[in-house]
Amino acid sequence: MADVHAARRERLRDRCGALAADAALVTRPANVWYLTGAEPDGAALLLTRDRAVLAVPEEVPQDAEGLLLQQPEDVQRLEVPPGADPAVSAATAAARYRVAVLAVEEHDLTVARHRAVAEAAAPARPTDLDRAVEQLRLVKDEEEITALRISAEIADQALGELLESILVGRTERHLAMELERRMVDHGADCAAFPVSIGTGTHAGLAGHLPTDRRVEEGDFLTVALGARYRGYGASAARTFVIGTAPAQWQIDLHAVVFAAQRAGREALQPGTPCHEADRAVREVLQAAGHTEAPPRPVGHGVGLEIAEEPRLGPGDMGKLDARVPVTIGPGVHLPGRGGVRIEDTLVVRPLGEGGPELLTITTKELLAL
Amino acid sequence: MADVHAARRERLRDRCGALAADAALVTRPANVWYLTGAEPDGAALLLTRDRAVLAVPEEVPQDAEGLLLQQPEDVQRLEVPPGADPAVSAATAAARYRVAVLAVEEHDLTVARHRAVAEAAAPARPTDLDRAVEQLRLVKDEEEITALRISAEIADQALGELLESILVGRTERHLAMELERRMVDHGADCAAFPVSIGTGTHAGLAGHLPTDRRVEEGDFLTVALGARYRGYGASAARTFVIGTAPAQWQIDLHAVVFAAQRAGREALQPGTPCHEADRAVREVLQAAGHTEAPPRPVGHGVGLEIAEEPRLGPGDMGKLDARVPVTIGPGVHLPGRGGVRIEDTLVVRPLGEGGPELLTITTKELLAL
C-alpha cells in the first residue's frame, strides 16, 4: 500500500511541475488520505520535490489503534502544538525548505487560513493547486474499486436483513439507526453518509433526514444508504411499498423511475459526455409527464467522498472514463403523496469488458413488504 | 421564536455598522441557524439594513417536514438553481440592492468561494465580518441554556441505561451505537458528535473513535457523548471500571483526574480569565506527576457547535461571562495501560446565583460495573 501512495505522490509532483509550483500543501482530508493512507484530524501534507511531511496535531495519539499505523514510513511526521494549525506549520516548513512557489488548495482553505498559510510560507508565493488531487482521484485503480465493491456488498446485506423484518409501526429514525448498526456489523467503518429513510409523503425525497414518522400500510418507503469501507463509500437507494399490494399509481410511478434509471445506466460508456446519462434519464421522465423532475444532477462520482467528481448534470460537458465509479439516482416526488427514488453505483467499463459494472445489486423491483 | 431571531439579526446589523459594512453575508451553518432558526443544506443569509434574504438550493423541498417550517416569515426565500452556490446568488442580490460594502465570513468561505462571491457582489467591496456572529453567540439566553440542559439530560438518561446493562464482551462500536440510539429514543435529534467509547488501553484518550475491541474484566471504560437537541449540544465524559473492584492504580488515577476536574470547575466565575480553569487543572495534574498531560485545552464553549468560543487553554486571555456554557474535561492517558477522562458542561453563573451550573449530572465517581 505504501507503494501505491508513493506513486500517487509522484503523480502529484508531476502536476505541480505543470503548475510551475515546486511544492504542494494538501489540506482536504480525502486528498490527504489519498496521498498517504492516513487522515489524522486536521492533518496537512507538504509535498516538496524530495520530501513528504505530514503535519499532525500532537494530541493525536500515536499509540492509538487506527490510521496512523498505516502511515507510510517515507512520510515524515511533524508534530504541531495544541491550538496551532497544521497547515500553517507545514507552510513554515516549506519556507525552511526554500520553496519558491507553493500550490495550495484554494477550494479547501478558508480565506482566513489561506492568509495565515501565505504569511508562514513567505517568501514562498502561494498559487492554486487547481483541484489536482481531485483530478488524480477521478479514475480509480482496481484496489479502490474493490473497496467500493465491498462497501456496496455491506449495504446490500444490511438492507436485505432489514427487508426481512417487520417494518409497520417503526419510525424512520429507528430504521435508519438499525441500518447503520447492521452495516457496522457487516464490517463497515461507519455509514458513508447519514442513512435516509423516507416513508409516506417523505418517500422519494433526496437527502431526506429521518423523522419520527412511523411506517404505515400502503406507504412508499425509500431507503438511501452507503457503507464506508477503508475510506471508500458507494451509494444506493431503493423504494418499496408497505403492505400486500401496491396501488396502481405506485406501480406506475415506480415503473417510470425504474425505466429512467435504466436509461441512465445504459448511457454509461467511456468517452460519453457526462451530461448524456442525465439527458437519457430526463427524456424518460418527461415523456411520462414529469417535466420538473429531477431538479438535481442525476448522478455523481463516488470514492473517498460520497459526492465527488465527475458530476452528471445537464451542463457537465466532460467525458466519462473507464474505471470511474458514478451513481445514477433519479427520483420523482409528488408533494403530499410521496414518491420513488432508485439509485445505483456503477463503474464505467468499456463494452468489451461487459459495460458498466453494477456494484449495488439489491433488487430494484417494487417489492411489497 | 421569530422575535428572538429578528432581535439577533438587529444586533448583527449594529455590528456591521461598526465594521462600516452595509450588509453581511452569513454562510457558516451554525450562524445561519442562529439568525434564522433554519439551516437548510448550503443556505446563505444576506442581511442588508432593511432585508433578510435566505438563499436556499431549490431542491430543498419546502413541503418536507422540518427546519424550513421554522423559517420566520420576515425572511425572504431566494431559490437557487441546482449546481449554483447560494452564497454567490446572495452576493448577486446584494449588488442588486446597491450594497457598497459586504461583510463576509472569511473564516468560513474558501478562497475559491470568496473569489466567486466577490465577483458576484461587484461593485460591492467585500470585507471580513470578523466572527461577529460567533461573538453574538458567546453569551446564551435562557432559552438556549434550556436546550443545552435538555441535551445534557438526554445524554444522562442514555448513559444511565447503558450502565445497567451487561458490558463485558461487547465492542466499543456497539456500545457507541447503542448510546446513540438511546439518545434518539429520549428525544435527541441525533448525536452532537460521534459517541466515543474507549476501553482498556483506549480509555482516557480524547476523541477516540470506537473500534472492535471488546470490553474485558478489569478495563477502564471511558464514554464521551452528547445529544443534539433543537440544534444545541452539551458534552460529557465519564470513566468507569469493569468488574468487581478497581485496581489501586485505577483508583489513584481516577482520584487525580477527578480532583483536577473539580479544580477546573471551581475556577469558573464571571470575570475570570479563560486560562484560569486550565491552570487550575494542570496544577493538580502536575502535582501528581502528570507533567505532560493534558496537552489540549481543558475546555471550550458549547452551543450550536460542540466546540465553539471561548477556548479554555493556557494562552486564552479573554474573560468568562455569565451565561457562557463551557466544558471542563481533563484526562490522563498512560500509553499501553489506559486512562481516565472526566468532562462536564457547566454554565458560568455569578456566585450570588449559586456559581457554575452543572448540566451533566451523571455521577463522576469511579463506579465498578
Side-chain angles (χ1 to χ4, degrees), chain A residues 58-59 61 63-65 82-83 106-112 114-115 173-174 177 180-181 184-185 188-189 202 205 211 295-297 311 333 335-336, chain B residues 58-59 61 63-65 82-83 106-112 114-115 173-174 177 180-181 184-185 188-189 202 205 211 295-297 311 333 335-336:
Chain A
E58 73 179 19
E59 63 256 47
D63 76 326
E65 207 170 25
E106 293 191 354
H107 64 297
D108 180 69
L109 287 180
T110 65
V111 176
H114 184 269
R115 190 181 298 127
R173 272 185 220 270
H174 272 97
M177 280 188 296
E180 188 173 336
R181 182 180 62 72
V184 171
D185 281 349
D189 303 330
H202 301 155
L205 289 169
T211 70
R296 27 190 291 160
R311 220 173 64 125
H333 179 254
Chain B
E58 71 180 20
E59 62 254 49
D63 75 326
E65 209 171 23
E106 293 190 354
H107 65 295
D108 181 69
L109 287 180
T110 65
V111 175
H114 184 270
R115 188 181 301 126
R173 273 185 219 268
H174 271 98
M177 281 188 293
E180 190 173 335
R181 184 181 61 75
V184 171
D185 281 348
D189 302 329
H202 301 154
L205 289 169
T211 70
R296 30 192 284 160
R311 220 173 65 127
H333 179 253

Side-chain angles (χ1 to χ4, degrees), chain B residues 88 91-92 95 112-124 126:
Chain B
V88 172
T92 308
R113 281 184 93 194
H114 184 270
R115 188 181 301 126
V117 161
E119 276 168 21

